[in-house]
Amino acid sequence: VIDGFVITAGRANGSYPAHNGGAISNNNSSPTITNVSFSGNAATEEGGAIYNYYSSPEITNASFSGNAAVRYGGAIYNDRGNPTIINASFSGNIANYVGGAIYNINGSSSPITNASFSGNIANYAGGAIYSIDNGSSSTITNASFSGNAASYGGAIHNTNGSSSTITNASFSGNAASDGGAIYSVNGSSATITNASFSGNSATRGGATFSYHSSLTISNTIVWGNSSSIYAISTYPTIITASLIEGCNPAGSWNSACGNNSGGNLVDADPLFVNPISYTSAPTTTGDLRLLVNSPAIDTGNNGDNSTTEDLDGKPRIIGTKIDLGAYEHGQERYSLVSSIQGK
């Protein structure tokens, strides 16, 4: 058990950066890591802070900042490992190749709950998270991605059959050449529910880029990016109960967006509290909560919801229907009622 430590500028033999795992290297081991800060650690190969090989640590209440790896996983590298990550922040981590914060390979999966990814960089792909190979996956619930950058997949990159399942997530101000927020290729998949995309920038697919990969979107807002959805594929793109800029102008569905599975809103400004221009990306500024007159309020599909709380930790459904995006509007009303009732 590692509890309550600050691990800074880890070095092997006291002077040289570690080969794998700048702070911790796990080989067939699964420690419990709680209340730990990893800052300024480095690896000459993989896992700037933590290297996991056949290892599945539990990581809770942790921060990763300014860690670096020459190749893969600026903060965490997973090879046939399945770490559980809860209440964590990843900021300013760098991978010279792929996976600015997290790298998954060979069937690794990283369930991530209540996390923020800001200003992470991969020089090639997956500014925040990179997953490769069948079985490799990231299951992300209640997370924010802002100001991350890479050539392919400013925030998330999936390839060779890997997948991402994303619920209650905000993507703002991420940047890439292709796939400003999410990039999926070669038989990969992304399933996105109750997410908000705005201010992300890429030449193709400001929000998402798919090449021979499937994309499923529901209860989601995509607005104010350099472009919305870009797909070249015989794999399906399925969109349900969402507001996607350019997909339903004047109520006429644009087939280039994919399959209209019903309940999608006519193109209209979702009225974010503080949207930022994609021309500013990468940037960590912006606020994708909804203003009171937003057309995205009470217009989602309750059946697609699998959580009890939104990205703010407030009830996921306030009113008759779930709101689109990462945040449920009406928190102020809920807070006032809770205060009166003494909750």
Side-chain angles (χ1 to χ4, degrees), residues 251-275:
S252 179
W253 185 255
N254 179 3
S255 61
C257 289
N259 298 324
N260 179 359
S261 193
N264 293 298
L265 273 63
V266 174
D267 281 18
D269 188 336
L271 300 179
F272 293 126
V273 168
N274 182 28

Side-chain angles (χ1 to χ4, degrees), residues 97 120-128 148-155 175-180 201:
Y97 190 49
N120 302 287
I121 297 172
N123 286 335
Y124 181 65
N148 304 287
S151 292
Y152 302 97
S177 295
D178 287 335
S201 177

Side-chain angles (χ1 to χ4, degrees), residues 52-56 78-82 104-109:
N52 296 311
Y53 180 72
Y54 283 104
S55 300
S56 301
N78 301 310
D79 184 347
R80 285 157 278 202
N82 304 294
N104 298 312
I105 192 172
N106 292 328
S108 296
S109 66

Side-chain angles (χ1 to χ4, degrees), residues 45-191:
E45 290 290 330
E46 294 137 0
I50 300 176
Y51 176 90
N52 296 311
Y53 180 72
Y54 283 104
S55 300
S56 301
E58 295 181 8
I59 303 170
T60 307
N61 299 335
S63 65
F64 298 82
S65 63
N67 303 287
V70 171
R71 297 182 68 196
Y72 311 131
I76 299 175
Y77 175 95
N78 301 310
D79 184 347
R80 285 157 278 202
N82 304 294
T84 300
I85 301 170
I86 301 173
N87 298 336
S89 64
F90 297 83
S91 62
N93 302 287
I94 299 174
N96 279 352
Y97 190 49
V98 297
I102 298 174
Y103 178 91
N104 298 312
I105 192 172
N106 292 328
S108 296
S109 66
S110 51
I112 300 168
T113 306
N114 298 335
S116 64
F117 295 82
S118 62
N120 302 287
I121 297 172
N123 286 335
Y124 181 65
I129 301 173
Y130 181 97
S131 298
I132 183 172
D133 295 336
N134 288 326
S136 293
S137 64
S138 53
T139 301
I140 301 163
T141 306
N142 291 6
S144 62
F145 295 82
S146 63
N148 304 287
S151 292
Y152 302 97
I156 296 173
H157 185 291
N158 301 311
T159 188
N160 293 8
S162 64
S163 65
S164 290
T165 301
I166 300 163
T167 307
N168 292 347
S170 170
F171 294 85
S172 176
N174 302 287
S177 295
D178 287 335
I182 299 175
Y183 181 95
S184 297
V185 294
N186 301 333
S188 297
S189 65
T191 301

